[in-house]
Amino acid sequence: MSKLSTILDEIGAKLVQDLGEELAQQGHKASGSLIESLRYEKVSTWDSKGIHVKGNDYGHYLEKRNQWRNKMPPIEPLIDWINILKSKGRFSTVKNVRSLAFAIAKTLKKEGMPTINSYDPTITKNGRRIGFIKHTIEKNSKHIKNKLHFAIKEDIKLMIQNVARKGMR
């Protein structure tokens, strides 16, 4: 196995871990299903190697201020989300989940997502509610660059040594 392959595994695992931590700090851990869905896979073509990090589709809505502004979002996912939070003790006094879902949908239509009040310190531990991917990549970019440079350098050294050994035969 090449050094690059090993390093790509390390980088992929670290990104998945850091993305999950950033989501949790931003307050995006109602059911935990997005964090649990995060995974990476190594990809390789004839001229490149890399990793793809994947997760549940709705993760892209949490990356940037989304397009719900001036549109009514679907109610059913909101009902599911409220029920998850109710099972964890939030919204425990809510009697009519559907009415709350409609109220949230109206607020999302008016303000977009994330809503203004979602920046409350009881919700977000780091003051962010969007940009979990961008922040994680920026935080890790120097580390990733250094690891990749090291791995490529080591693989090139190994290739040169192998060519030199074959030439001495």
Side-chain angles (χ1 to χ4, degrees), residues 57-102:
D57 290 340
Y58 65 88
H60 72 275
Y61 291 115
L62 303 176
E63 176 60 17
K64 57 185 166 77
R65 190 167 186 96
N66 76 27
Q67 298 75 27
W68 291 127
R69 194 171 192 131
N70 300 321
K71 296 181 204 170
M72 194 77 145
I75 298 302
E76 291 306 316
L78 290 171
I79 290 172
D80 293 344
W81 176 73
I82 292 166
N83 284 327
I84 288 167
L85 291 178
K86 272 186 88 165
S87 72
K88 295 184 177 194
R90 288 192 54 202
F91 300 125
S92 58
T93 59
V94 171
K95 302 273 189 258
N96 190 334
V97 171
R98 192 165 194 76
S99 292
L100 178 59
F102 272 105

Short mmCIF file of all heavy atoms in Angstrom, two decimals, residues 57-102:
data_model
loop_
_atom_site.label_atom_id
_atom_site.label_comp_id
_atom_site.label_asym_id
_atom_site.label_seq_id
_atom_site.Cartn_x
_atom_site.Cartn_y
_atom_site.Cartn_z
N ASP A 57 -28.50 13.63 2.28
CA ASP A 57 -28.70 14.70 1.32
C ASP A 57 -28.97 16.06 1.95
O ASP A 57 -28.58 17.09 1.41
CB ASP A 57 -29.84 14.37 0.36
CG ASP A 57 -29.47 13.25 -0.60
OD1 ASP A 57 -28.26 13.00 -0.78
OD2 ASP A 57 -30.38 12.64 -1.17
N TYR A 58 -29.66 16.09 3.08
CA TYR A 58 -30.05 17.39 3.63
C TYR A 58 -28.88 18.15 4.24
O TYR A 58 -29.02 19.31 4.63
CB TYR A 58 -31.20 17.28 4.62
CG TYR A 58 -30.91 16.52 5.88
CD1 TYR A 58 -30.38 17.16 7.00
CD2 TYR A 58 -31.17 15.17 5.97
CE1 TYR A 58 -30.12 16.47 8.16
CE2 TYR A 58 -30.91 14.46 7.13
CZ TYR A 58 -30.38 15.12 8.22
OH TYR A 58 -30.13 14.43 9.37
N GLY A 59 -27.71 17.56 4.28
CA GLY A 59 -26.53 18.26 4.79
C GLY A 59 -26.23 19.53 4.00
O GLY A 59 -25.78 20.51 4.57
N HIS A 60 -26.53 19.52 2.69
CA HIS A 60 -26.23 20.73 1.90
C HIS A 60 -27.10 21.90 2.31
O HIS A 60 -26.71 23.05 2.14
CB HIS A 60 -26.32 20.45 0.39
CG HIS A 60 -27.70 20.25 -0.14
ND1 HIS A 60 -28.34 19.04 -0.10
CD2 HIS A 60 -28.56 21.13 -0.70
CE1 HIS A 60 -29.53 19.17 -0.64
NE2 HIS A 60 -29.70 20.42 -1.00
N TYR A 61 -28.27 21.65 2.90
CA TYR A 61 -29.10 22.76 3.39
C TYR A 61 -28.45 23.43 4.60
O TYR A 61 -28.70 24.60 4.87
CB TYR A 61 -30.49 22.28 3.80
CG TYR A 61 -31.34 21.84 2.65
CD1 TYR A 61 -31.74 20.52 2.52
CD2 TYR A 61 -31.75 22.75 1.68
CE1 TYR A 61 -32.53 20.11 1.45
CE2 TYR A 61 -32.52 22.35 0.61
CZ TYR A 61 -32.92 21.03 0.50
OH TYR A 61 -33.68 20.64 -0.54
N LEU A 62 -27.64 22.69 5.35
CA LEU A 62 -27.00 23.24 6.54
C LEU A 62 -25.67 23.92 6.22
O LEU A 62 -25.08 24.55 7.07
CB LEU A 62 -26.78 22.12 7.56
CG LEU A 62 -28.03 21.37 7.99
CD1 LEU A 62 -27.65 20.24 8.94
CD2 LEU A 62 -29.03 22.30 8.63
N GLU A 63 -25.22 23.78 4.99
CA GLU A 63 -23.95 24.38 4.59
C GLU A 63 -24.09 25.89 4.34
O GLU A 63 -23.24 26.66 4.69
CB GLU A 63 -23.40 23.69 3.34
CG GLU A 63 -22.13 24.29 2.79
CD GLU A 63 -20.95 24.28 3.76
OE1 GLU A 63 -20.97 23.55 4.78
OE2 GLU A 63 -20.00 25.03 3.53
N LYS A 64 -25.17 26.28 3.71
CA LYS A 64 -25.33 27.70 3.40
C LYS A 64 -26.77 28.12 3.67
O LYS A 64 -27.65 27.28 3.79
CB LYS A 64 -24.97 27.99 1.95
CG LYS A 64 -25.75 27.20 0.93
CD LYS A 64 -25.21 27.48 -0.46
CE LYS A 64 -25.66 26.56 -1.48
NZ LYS A 64 -26.81 26.46 -2.12
N ARG A 65 -26.96 29.39 3.80
CA ARG A 65 -28.31 29.91 4.00
C ARG A 65 -29.14 29.43 2.83
O ARG A 65 -28.83 29.71 1.68
CB ARG A 65 -28.28 31.43 4.07
CG ARG A 65 -29.60 31.98 4.51
CD ARG A 65 -29.44 33.46 4.89
NE ARG A 65 -30.67 33.91 5.43
CZ ARG A 65 -30.96 33.97 6.73
NH1 ARG A 65 -30.05 33.62 7.60
NH2 ARG A 65 -32.12 34.39 7.14
N ASN A 66 -30.19 28.68 3.12
CA ASN A 66 -30.86 28.01 2.01
C ASN A 66 -31.97 28.82 1.37
O ASN A 66 -32.25 29.95 1.75
CB ASN A 66 -31.34 26.62 2.44
CG ASN A 66 -32.58 26.66 3.29
OD1 ASN A 66 -33.36 27.59 3.21
ND2 ASN A 66 -32.76 25.68 4.12
N GLN A 67 -32.61 28.21 0.44
CA GLN A 67 -33.57 28.87 -0.43
C GLN A 67 -35.01 28.86 0.10
O GLN A 67 -35.93 29.14 -0.64
CB GLN A 67 -33.56 28.21 -1.82
CG GLN A 67 -32.23 28.31 -2.53
CD GLN A 67 -31.16 27.37 -1.99
OE1 GLN A 67 -31.46 26.31 -1.46
NE2 GLN A 67 -29.92 27.74 -2.12
N TRP A 68 -35.24 28.52 1.36
CA TRP A 68 -36.61 28.50 1.85
C TRP A 68 -37.22 29.89 1.92
O TRP A 68 -38.41 30.04 1.98
CB TRP A 68 -36.71 27.83 3.22
CG TRP A 68 -36.43 26.36 3.20
CD1 TRP A 68 -35.53 25.71 3.97
CD2 TRP A 68 -37.03 25.38 2.37
NE1 TRP A 68 -35.52 24.38 3.66
CE2 TRP A 68 -36.44 24.14 2.68
CE3 TRP A 68 -38.00 25.41 1.38
CZ2 TRP A 68 -36.80 22.97 2.05
CZ3 TRP A 68 -38.35 24.25 0.75
CH2 TRP A 68 -37.75 23.04 1.09
N ARG A 69 -36.37 30.90 1.98
CA ARG A 69 -36.90 32.26 2.06
C ARG A 69 -37.88 32.50 0.91
O ARG A 69 -37.58 32.21 -0.23
CB ARG A 69 -35.77 33.26 2.03
CG ARG A 69 -36.24 34.62 2.44
CD ARG A 69 -35.06 35.55 2.61
NE ARG A 69 -35.57 36.72 3.29
CZ ARG A 69 -35.04 37.26 4.33
NH1 ARG A 69 -33.95 36.78 4.84
NH2 ARG A 69 -35.57 38.31 4.89
N ASN A 70 -39.04 32.98 1.26
CA ASN A 70 -40.15 33.26 0.32
C ASN A 70 -40.79 31.99 -0.25
O ASN A 70 -41.55 32.06 -1.20
CB ASN A 70 -39.69 34.18 -0.83
CG ASN A 70 -39.20 35.50 -0.31
OD1 ASN A 70 -39.77 36.06 0.63
ND2 ASN A 70 -38.14 36.01 -0.90
N LYS A 71 -40.46 30.84 0.29
CA LYS A 71 -41.10 29.58 -0.09
C LYS A 71 -41.49 28.84 1.18
O LYS A 71 -40.79 28.91 2.18
CB LYS A 71 -40.15 28.68 -0.88
CG LYS A 71 -39.70 29.20 -2.19
CD LYS A 71 -38.79 28.17 -2.83
CE LYS A 71 -37.86 28.81 -3.82
NZ LYS A 71 -36.84 27.91 -4.26
N MET A 72 -42.55 28.10 1.11
CA MET A 72 -42.98 27.30 2.26
C MET A 72 -42.30 25.93 2.18
O MET A 72 -42.47 25.22 1.20
CB MET A 72 -44.50 27.15 2.23
CG MET A 72 -45.07 26.66 3.51
SD MET A 72 -45.13 27.96 4.71
CE MET A 72 -46.62 27.52 5.53
N PRO A 73 -41.50 25.58 3.18
CA PRO A 73 -40.86 24.26 3.15
C PRO A 73 -41.90 23.16 3.43
O PRO A 73 -42.97 23.43 3.97
CB PRO A 73 -39.84 24.34 4.28
CG PRO A 73 -40.35 25.39 5.19
CD PRO A 73 -41.12 26.37 4.34
N PRO A 74 -41.57 21.93 3.08
CA PRO A 74 -42.50 20.82 3.35
C PRO A 74 -42.70 20.63 4.86
O PRO A 74 -41.76 20.77 5.64
CB PRO A 74 -41.83 19.60 2.71
CG PRO A 74 -40.42 20.00 2.47
CD PRO A 74 -40.34 21.48 2.43
N ILE A 75 -43.92 20.30 5.26
CA ILE A 75 -44.30 20.19 6.67
C ILE A 75 -43.86 18.86 7.28
O ILE A 75 -43.43 18.82 8.44
CB ILE A 75 -45.83 20.37 6.82
CG1 ILE A 75 -46.24 21.76 6.33
CG2 ILE A 75 -46.28 20.15 8.25
CD1 ILE A 75 -45.57 22.91 7.04
N GLU A 76 -43.96 17.76 6.54
CA GLU A 76 -43.69 16.43 7.11
C GLU A 76 -42.29 16.30 7.72
O GLU A 76 -42.16 15.80 8.83
CB GLU A 76 -43.94 15.33 6.07
CG GLU A 76 -45.41 15.14 5.71
CD GLU A 76 -46.30 14.91 6.92
OE1 GLU A 76 -45.94 14.13 7.82
OE2 GLU A 76 -47.38 15.52 6.96
N PRO A 77 -41.21 16.76 7.04
CA PRO A 77 -39.89 16.67 7.69
C PRO A 77 -39.82 17.50 8.98
O PRO A 77 -39.14 17.10 9.93
CB PRO A 77 -38.93 17.22 6.64
CG PRO A 77 -39.64 17.07 5.34
CD PRO A 77 -41.10 17.21 5.64
N LEU A 78 -40.53 18.63 9.02
CA LEU A 78 -40.55 19.43 10.24
C LEU A 78 -41.27 18.69 11.37
O LEU A 78 -40.83 18.72 12.52
CB LEU A 78 -41.23 20.78 9.98
CG LEU A 78 -40.45 21.75 9.11
CD1 LEU A 78 -41.30 22.97 8.74
CD2 LEU A 78 -39.17 22.19 9.78
N ILE A 79 -42.36 18.01 11.04
CA ILE A 79 -43.08 17.22 12.05
C ILE A 79 -42.16 16.12 12.59
O ILE A 79 -42.09 15.92 13.81
CB ILE A 79 -44.38 16.63 11.45
CG1 ILE A 79 -45.39 17.76 11.20
CG2 ILE A 79 -44.97 15.55 12.36
CD1 ILE A 79 -46.63 17.34 10.43
N ASP A 80 -41.46 15.43 11.70
CA ASP A 80 -40.52 14.38 12.14
C ASP A 80 -39.45 14.97 13.07
O ASP A 80 -39.12 14.39 14.09
CB ASP A 80 -39.84 13.71 10.94
CG ASP A 80 -40.81 12.92 10.08
OD1 ASP A 80 -41.93 12.62 10.56
OD2 ASP A 80 -40.46 12.62 8.92
N TRP A 81 -38.90 16.13 12.68
CA TRP A 81 -37.86 16.79 13.47
C TRP A 81 -38.38 17.19 14.85
O TRP A 81 -37.72 16.95 15.86
CB TRP A 81 -37.36 18.01 12.68
CG TRP A 81 -36.35 18.86 13.38
CD1 TRP A 81 -35.04 18.57 13.61
CD2 TRP A 81 -36.57 20.15 13.95
NE1 TRP A 81 -34.44 19.60 14.27
CE2 TRP A 81 -35.36 20.59 14.49
CE3 TRP A 81 -37.68 20.99 14.04
CZ2 TRP A 81 -35.21 21.82 15.11
CZ3 TRP A 81 -37.54 22.22 14.65
CH2 TRP A 81 -36.31 22.61 15.19
N ILE A 82 -39.58 17.75 14.90
CA ILE A 82 -40.19 18.14 16.19
C ILE A 82 -40.40 16.91 17.07
O ILE A 82 -40.11 16.94 18.27
CB ILE A 82 -41.52 18.90 15.96
CG1 ILE A 82 -41.24 20.26 15.31
CG2 ILE A 82 -42.28 19.08 17.28
CD1 ILE A 82 -42.48 20.93 14.74
N ASN A 83 -40.88 15.83 16.48
CA ASN A 83 -41.10 14.59 17.27
C ASN A 83 -39.79 14.04 17.82
O ASN A 83 -39.75 13.54 18.94
CB ASN A 83 -41.84 13.55 16.43
CG ASN A 83 -43.31 13.88 16.30
OD1 ASN A 83 -43.92 14.44 17.21
ND2 ASN A 83 -43.89 13.55 15.15
N ILE A 84 -38.72 14.13 17.04
CA ILE A 84 -37.40 13.69 17.53
C ILE A 84 -37.00 14.54 18.73
O ILE A 84 -36.57 14.02 19.76
CB ILE A 84 -36.34 13.77 16.41
CG1 ILE A 84 -36.58 12.67 15.38
CG2 ILE A 84 -34.93 13.66 16.98
CD1 ILE A 84 -35.80 12.86 14.08
N LEU A 85 -37.14 15.85 18.59
CA LEU A 85 -36.77 16.74 19.69
C LEU A 85 -37.68 16.55 20.91
O LEU A 85 -37.22 16.63 22.04
CB LEU A 85 -36.79 18.20 19.24
CG LEU A 85 -35.68 18.58 18.26
CD1 LEU A 85 -35.81 20.04 17.84
CD2 LEU A 85 -34.30 18.33 18.82
N LYS A 86 -38.96 16.27 20.67
CA LYS A 86 -39.88 16.01 21.79
C LYS A 86 -39.42 14.78 22.57
O LYS A 86 -39.46 14.77 23.80
CB LYS A 86 -41.31 15.78 21.28
CG LYS A 86 -42.12 17.05 21.14
CD LYS A 86 -43.55 16.74 20.78
CE LYS A 86 -44.30 16.53 22.06
NZ LYS A 86 -45.73 16.56 21.94
N SER A 87 -38.96 13.77 21.87
CA SER A 87 -38.50 12.55 22.54
C SER A 87 -37.24 12.80 23.37
O SER A 87 -36.92 12.01 24.25
CB SER A 87 -38.24 11.44 21.51
OG SER A 87 -37.08 11.71 20.76
N LYS A 88 -36.55 13.91 23.08
CA LYS A 88 -35.34 14.26 23.83
C LYS A 88 -35.60 15.36 24.85
O LYS A 88 -34.66 15.92 25.41
CB LYS A 88 -34.24 14.68 22.86
CG LYS A 88 -33.79 13.54 21.97
CD LYS A 88 -32.65 13.95 21.08
CE LYS A 88 -32.22 12.72 20.29
NZ LYS A 88 -30.95 12.89 19.65
N GLY A 89 -36.88 15.68 25.09
CA GLY A 89 -37.22 16.64 26.14
C GLY A 89 -37.47 18.06 25.67
O GLY A 89 -37.96 18.88 26.43
N ARG A 90 -37.12 18.39 24.42
CA ARG A 90 -37.43 19.72 23.91
C ARG A 90 -38.84 19.72 23.36
O ARG A 90 -39.35 18.68 22.93
CB ARG A 90 -36.44 20.12 22.81
CG ARG A 90 -35.09 20.43 23.42
CD ARG A 90 -34.10 21.09 22.51
NE ARG A 90 -34.57 22.30 21.90
CZ ARG A 90 -34.03 22.79 20.78
NH1 ARG A 90 -33.05 22.16 20.19
NH2 ARG A 90 -34.49 23.90 20.25
N PHE A 91 -39.47 20.83 23.36
CA PHE A 91 -40.85 20.95 22.89
C PHE A 91 -41.79 20.05 23.69
O PHE A 91 -42.82 19.61 23.20
CB PHE A 91 -41.01 20.62 21.40
CG PHE A 91 -40.21 21.48 20.47
CD1 PHE A 91 -39.33 20.92 19.56
CD2 PHE A 91 -40.36 22.85 20.47
CE1 PHE A 91 -38.60 21.70 18.68
CE2 PHE A 91 -39.63 23.64 19.60
CZ PHE A 91 -38.75 23.07 18.70
N SER A 92 -41.43 19.73 24.93
CA SER A 92 -42.22 18.79 25.73
C SER A 92 -43.62 19.30 26.05
O SER A 92 -44.52 18.51 26.29
CB SER A 92 -41.47 18.43 27.02
OG SER A 92 -41.21 19.61 27.75
N THR A 93 -43.81 20.62 26.03
CA THR A 93 -45.14 21.16 26.36
C THR A 93 -46.02 21.32 25.12
O THR A 93 -47.18 21.70 25.24
CB THR A 93 -45.01 22.54 27.04
OG1 THR A 93 -44.32 23.43 26.16
CG2 THR A 93 -44.24 22.42 28.36
N VAL A 94 -45.49 21.04 23.95
CA VAL A 94 -46.25 21.20 22.71
C VAL A 94 -47.32 20.12 22.59
O VAL A 94 -47.02 18.93 22.69
CB VAL A 94 -45.30 21.17 21.49
CG1 VAL A 94 -46.08 21.13 20.19
CG2 VAL A 94 -44.36 22.34 21.52
N LYS A 95 -48.54 20.55 22.41
CA LYS A 95 -49.66 19.61 22.26
C LYS A 95 -49.90 19.29 20.78
O LYS A 95 -50.10 18.15 20.42
CB LYS A 95 -50.94 20.20 22.86
CG LYS A 95 -50.82 20.56 24.32
CD LYS A 95 -51.15 19.37 25.19
CE LYS A 95 -51.25 19.78 26.63
NZ LYS A 95 -50.11 19.44 27.42
N ASN A 96 -49.88 20.32 19.93
CA ASN A 96 -50.18 20.13 18.52
C ASN A 96 -48.91 20.30 17.69
O ASN A 96 -48.51 21.41 17.35
CB ASN A 96 -51.27 21.12 18.09
CG ASN A 96 -51.79 20.81 16.70
OD1 ASN A 96 -51.10 20.21 15.88
ND2 ASN A 96 -53.03 21.22 16.45
N VAL A 97 -48.29 19.19 17.35
CA VAL A 97 -47.03 19.19 16.61
C VAL A 97 -47.23 19.79 15.22
O VAL A 97 -46.39 20.56 14.74
CB VAL A 97 -46.46 17.75 16.52
CG1 VAL A 97 -45.28 17.68 15.58
CG2 VAL A 97 -46.07 17.27 17.90
N ARG A 98 -48.34 19.48 14.59
CA ARG A 98 -48.60 19.98 13.24
C ARG A 98 -48.68 21.52 13.24
O ARG A 98 -48.15 22.17 12.34
CB ARG A 98 -49.88 19.36 12.68
CG ARG A 98 -50.07 19.60 11.21
CD ARG A 98 -51.14 18.65 10.65
NE ARG A 98 -51.13 18.61 9.22
CZ ARG A 98 -50.25 18.00 8.46
NH1 ARG A 98 -49.28 17.32 9.02
NH2 ARG A 98 -50.31 18.02 7.16
N SER A 99 -49.34 22.10 14.24
CA SER A 99 -49.43 23.56 14.32
C SER A 99 -48.05 24.19 14.50
O SER A 99 -47.75 25.22 13.89
CB SER A 99 -50.32 23.98 15.49
OG SER A 99 -51.65 23.61 15.25
N LEU A 100 -47.22 23.58 15.34
CA LEU A 100 -45.85 24.08 15.53
C LEU A 100 -45.07 23.97 14.22
O LEU A 100 -44.33 24.88 13.86
CB LEU A 100 -45.14 23.33 16.65
CG LEU A 100 -43.69 23.74 16.90
CD1 LEU A 100 -43.59 25.23 17.25
CD2 LEU A 100 -43.08 22.89 18.01
N ALA A 101 -45.24 22.87 13.50
CA ALA A 101 -44.54 22.69 12.23
C ALA A 101 -44.95 23.78 11.23
O ALA A 101 -44.09 24.34 10.53
CB ALA A 101 -44.83 21.30 11.65
N PHE A 102 -46.23 24.13 11.19
CA PHE A 102 -46.68 25.20 10.31
C PHE A 102 -46.09 26.54 10.74
O PHE A 102 -45.68 27.35 9.90
CB PHE A 102 -48.21 25.29 10.25
CG PHE A 102 -48.81 24.40 9.20
CD1 PHE A 102 -49.46 23.23 9.57
CD2 PHE A 102 -48.71 24.71 7.85
CE1 PHE A 102 -50.00 22.40 8.61
CE2 PHE A 102 -49.25 23.88 6.89
CZ PHE A 102 -49.90 22.72 7.26
#
